[in-house]
Amino acid sequence: CRYLIELGVPIYVIVTDGKREYNAIIKRISKRLIDEKFISFPIKHAYCVFHFKKGLFEDANEEYFGNKNSKETLPEYILNQIRLFDTVLDATSKEIAEKNLEKLLFEKQPFLKSLQKQLLRLQKYKDEYLLQISYKQIRTTDVAENFFSITKPAKIKHEYKTPWGLNVVLQTLKIK
């Protein structure tokens, strides 16, 4: 982060896949950068919309087929339920997203149980998921996710999910 800031790249948001452990790490990074006068306000923590949507399909597959990575096609009514999340996650403004979320919460009863839980998660963490509306450049793409999953073995990916691992990634980016 220091290196990017020294290059003149402002850091407003760090995006993660939604694991709770990252929040504490980002708070520590923010505090340290503020204490060292690199930044004057905390860095926001956003949750990745790509991972959330992937989780919708995995949860629906788990509930319907008993396997989160099922290769079978979900029935159209379940796919339609999943598509309704797009009215929130792909909204053009935060106001529209919040209005659509309220509508979905009102209609949640016919949703699969697993999707109802995800809807409540979206409600609880809406600020973290909707940051991608304000900061369009943080939206993760399928291309970026596929590159990472193809080029990095699972063992290495798990190492990156630690404070030490995140520092290694940052050092690698600094060198590049």
Side-chain angles (χ1 to χ4, degrees):
C1 289
R2 284 188 203 106
Y3 177 72
L4 291 172
I5 293 167
E6 287 170 353
L7 287 176
V9 177
I11 300 175
Y12 302 108
V13 180
I14 295 178
V15 184
T16 66
D17 59 8
K19 296 216 177 0
R20 284 183 231 126
E21 301 84 34
Y22 289 132
N23 199 34
I25 294 169
I26 293 169
K27 283 181 181 174
R28 280 200 324 261
I29 291 169
S30 283
K31 184 180 176 339
R32 192 163 182 186
L33 290 172
I34 289 170
D35 291 348
E36 294 174 4
K37 308 283 189 247
F38 276 91
I39 58 176
S40 57
F41 51 86
I43 296 170
K44 295 178 182 176
H45 179 199
Y47 290 159
C48 178
V49 171
F50 173 88
H51 282 93
F52 182 80
K53 287 183 175 187
K54 181 180 172 209
L56 294 174
F57 284 96
E58 288 175 351
D59 288 353
N61 275 314
E62 179 80 38
E63 184 173 340
Y64 194 78
F65 297 118
N67 176 354
K68 74 177 187 172
N69 296 313
S70 173
K71 301 294 181 203
E72 296 182 59
T73 304
L74 288 164
E76 195 63 29
Y77 79 94
I78 295 175
L79 293 174
N80 286 335
Q81 290 177 7
I82 292 171
R83 287 182 196 116
L84 287 172
F85 282 85
D86 291 341
T87 65
V88 176
L89 299 169
D90 295 336
T92 55
S93 73
K94 192 171 179 184
E95 294 76 23
I96 292 171
E98 288 174 348
K99 189 173 98 180
N100 291 341
L101 178 57
E102 287 304 314
K103 221 185 297 182
L104 283 181
L105 288 165
F106 182 73
E107 301 169 353
K108 77 176 183 184
Q109 290 311 87
F111 279 65
L112 284 178
K113 291 266 187 252
S114 59
L115 296 179
Q116 287 180 27
K117 288 179 185 174
Q118 289 290 17
L119 189 54
L120 294 174
R121 176 180 170 78
L122 183 57
Q123 178 189 29
K124 183 175 180 179
Y125 299 108
K126 74 177 177 192
D127 292 336
E128 288 82 358
Y129 283 112
L130 298 183
L131 273 172
Q132 52 90 27
I133 293 172
S134 303
Y135 300 96
K136 300 225 182 293
Q137 66 272 31
I138 69 171
R139 182 83 182 241
T140 306
T141 64
D142 291 354
V143 174
E145 288 293 332
N146 287 333
F147 173 79
F148 187 78
S149 66
I150 291 168
T151 59
K152 306 288 184 221
K155 189 174 183 181
I156 293 173
K157 281 193 254 185
H158 290 294
E159 285 296 318
Y160 286 161
K161 295 180 180 184
T162 64
W164 175 86
L166 291 172
N167 280 325
V168 169
V169 172
L170 291 171
Q171 289 301 316
T172 302
L173 291 172
K174 184 176 175 180
I175 292 167
K176 287 182 180 178

